[in-house]
Amino acid sequence: MSAREKAKAQIEEATGKAVKKSAHAVGNEKLAAKGAALQARGKARGLKEKAKDKLS
């Protein structure tokens, strides 16, 4: 996995988690859902890159 793609995935996952938690804290469920989606996308991106490495 390229270090750049791994970093992007980790940043995206962490950002999504932070957005989700802060949105829940203020009661904004729509923004919390967007944060959860961002977190899931980052996690999926990281898993995809790990799978690429195993196949290589």
Side-chain angles (χ1 to χ4, degrees), residues 8-49:
K8 280 183 184 180
Q10 288 177 339
I11 290 170
E12 193 169 46
E13 189 174 351
T15 302
K17 188 174 185 177
V19 168
K20 183 175 78 171
K21 284 189 176 212
S22 61
H24 273 299
V26 296
N28 189 339
E29 295 304 315
K30 187 175 181 180
L31 186 58
K34 287 182 180 183
L38 185 63
Q39 182 180 7
R41 188 172 68 188
K43 190 170 194 168
R45 181 182 284 182
L47 291 173
K48 181 185 87 169
E49 291 299 320

